Each structure stands twice: as C-alpha cells, then as structure tokens.
Amino acid sequence: MGDAGQLLRRPRADRSRDLRVLMVGHVRKEKDPLTGFQAFLSLPAGATLRHLGGSLDAALMQTLQALAAQHPQRFALLGHCDPDTVRAEMAKADL
C-alpha cells in the first residue's frame, strides 16, 4: 500500500472557509461518539460536524441530540442516509 498522505483527496489550502468534519456510522456505546463530539468543541468556533448514521443506542443518541441542540451551528445529526447522500457529504467534507 502507498503512503498515507496519498489518501488525502486535496490539501486544505483554502483557509477562508471553516473546517467541515464528517462522521459516518451507527451511534453505539462501543464507538464512544460522545468523546468525539466533545473533543470537536475544542476546534475553532466556525468548524462544523455532520453525523450520518442511525442509532443502536437510543439513550446515547438522545445525549448527542441534546449536545447538538446546545450548539446548533456546529452539529448536524442527519440520521440514516442513502449511499448517494453519503458520497455527496464525503465530497464536501475536509475531514
């Protein structure tokens, strides 16, 4: 396999816009998405995180929804999405 740097789609040279982060996958305890969401808040205020995926843990999803509601400009929980939507979101994301 090649260098990990070759996996980058494009350099993030355009710093005139804010960072767009994408998380894809089901919400479940084993993945600990709450830690990722909380860590995300340490990024600059304009950064956004979009999560695509269903939930296998209703209580954890409610916790994430409450956190997202506190920071509506930063988080979007889009739920289960079809493959075309996932590809489109991946194309727009920086990370």
Side-chain angles (χ1 to χ4, degrees), residues 11-27:
R12 188 166 144 60
D14 181 4
R15 304 273 179 192
S16 65
R17 65 170 175 72
D18 294 317
L19 182 68
R20 294 178 286 200
V21 177
L22 180 67
M23 287 179 73
V24 179
H26 287 92
V27 170

Side-chain angles (χ1 to χ4, degrees), residues 31-32 59 64 83:
K31 293 183 178 183
D32 192 17
L64 294 177

Side-chain angles (χ1 to χ4, degrees), residues 22-70:
L22 180 67
M23 287 179 73
V24 179
H26 287 92
V27 170
R28 59 180 166 204
K29 184 178 178 181
E30 296 83 8
K31 293 183 178 183
D32 192 17
L34 184 56
T35 296
F37 274 58
Q38 291 169 329
F40 178 82
L41 291 173
S42 68
L43 293 176
T48 58
L49 185 147
R50 297 171 68 81
H51 177 267
L52 311 179
S55 176
L56 300 177
D57 184 325
L60 181 55
M61 180 55 103
Q62 287 179 333
T63 300
L64 294 177
Q65 289 169 333
L67 182 61
Q70 293 172 6

